[in-house]
Amino acid sequence: MVARFSRPQPQGFLAPQRFDADLLDCEVEGTIPADMDGDFVRVGGEWFYPPKFPDDAPLHSDGYISRFRFKDGRVAYKGRFVRTPRFEANLAAGRQQFGYYRNPFTCEAAVRGLNGTVSNTAPLVHAGKLFTLKEDALPIEIDPDTLDTIGQWDFGGDYKSETFTAHPKVDPTSGEMIAFGYEATGLASDDLFVYFIDGHGQVAREVRLKVPYVSMIHDFAVTQDHLIFPFACYTTSMERLEAGKVHWAWNRQLPSMIGVMRRDGDGSDIRWFKGPERCMMHVFNAYSEGDKVVLHAPFYESNFFPFFPNVDGSPWDPTKAVAYVRRLTFDLGKPGESWDEEILFPNPIGDLGKVDSRYTTLPQRYAFTNFADAARPFDEARTGMPRARITNTYGRFDLHTGAIDRLFVGDTHTLQECSFVPRRGSSEEGDGYLIGTVSNLVEMRTELVIADAQRLGEGELARLHLPFRAAAQVHGCWYDAEQLTPLAEGPA
Ligand code: V55
Ligand code: FE
């Protein structure tokens, strides 16, 4: 008998949740706004079988998609494992057969050639289809009603990269989606392919680039005129993978890099700017103004992930794994390799943030994210958690005035990423709702907070209580009900 569950598992709030879930009508405190008609879709990971190696990256847990479906002031919850080839192969064998994060050399021989993606990072709805995403593989299509897994999606064969980012951008002015894949032609390859996908989901254009060094390009930014590719310090190589190591290591000797290229070009104009050590994980948004490109992003000071080792052998430094709201300005009218950078708010923030999606690619005023408000209480005794590990407050960061409008969610709670729900019938930036799941660390249940995004300081409108811990979330997004309706056959 092969040991299947002998390894120590995370305990407490992060203990594995190995089940699909259905809750037909959720318990609500307060009043759900009647104009919320759509789905809050969340994607994250759960270990269905424990990792083969106890020091594997948590980023390698099995994809899990969940959603809160809002209709007429009521909410239903549904959660499903993403039935990836890896999930099915493990289920058939009854155990974990896959090795380290993105290293097939550490898998059992029988599954080494399989697509090992866990698709655990973000949801995407585009052209009426729902997907789960992970940057090491193609999107996986999901049935928007049942959340059943349909299978890998390659845009009718027109998408040639082997990988697809977890953070494509949809231009609200046109419906065009811009996506990319790094390590596009295989493990540790220096190919970066960029795709322009029209509102009907057809690949309209491809641009092929080379990166200065192979690194994790987790997110990017798009403006009306430019594409911006940030990465830094994470490195990999075939030697590293063949040696049986986890995919990434952190090399602080390498410069942080940001590529800026014209959106309508063929990539030959790309300029690679260089900067100091940063961990470039997520962006808020960016815009172009003449020769200037302005990026707002919550970059960390250094290696954020304790499980990706520093190549110099130094221990992981938690004091540098902090993020701030930054403004980076690139002047394309001037020569040079550096950018201007400003920290806009003195307090560290969570790096999982959002802007009003109607302003993606355009100048925007507000960034929404969570942070730890030290002025608010936290009950370490009852939760058994050090307050250093929690975030207790959602903030709307005003990038024009420096003001923070804030919503504290409780002294026994910690927050996951928030999402912005645009108000129907309005177009004013920031007009809508801010929603997000909250972990109640004493009752060991998940709650969903709903607030007016323009009046966070006035408190929440409603809070929904699940009778269990919802599966963990990496990223979530709100989609109006109409977006989840399959498109009629578009023009060929
Ligand atoms: C991130 C998350 C991932 C991943 C790579 O937050 C980077 C960053 C949840 O998976 O595979
Ligand atoms: Fe992400």
Side-chain angles (χ1 to χ4, degrees), residues 121-122 135 165-167 218-219 281-283 305 351-352 417 474-475:
T121 309
E135 66 197 59
T165 177
H167 293 287
H218 179 67
D219 195 355
M281 203 53 61
H282 294 108
V283 305
F305 292 124
D351 108 302
L352 304 179
E417 179 197 58
V474 180
H475 294 290

Side-chain angles (χ1 to χ4, degrees), residues 250-291:
W250 182 263
N251 182 352
R252 71 179 83 247
Q253 302 299 326
L254 293 168
S256 55
M257 312 261 352
I258 302 184
V260 181
M261 64 176 260
R262 286 203 61 80
R263 181 166 156 180
D264 60 6
D266 64 3
S268 57
D269 65 309
I270 194 162
R271 273 178 65 181
W272 289 104
F273 293 85
K274 285 190 193 156
E277 183 180 12
R278 290 274 176 275
C279 180
M280 311 230 187
M281 203 53 61
H282 294 108
V283 305
F284 285 119
N285 197 8
Y287 63 92
S288 300
E289 207 168 54
D291 281 339

Side-chain angles (χ1 to χ4, degrees), residues 318 322 372 378 380 385-391 414:
V322 293
F378 182 69
E380 292 189 334
M385 284 266 283
R387 78 170 295 152
R389 300 251 311 273
I390 63 112
T391 62
T414 188

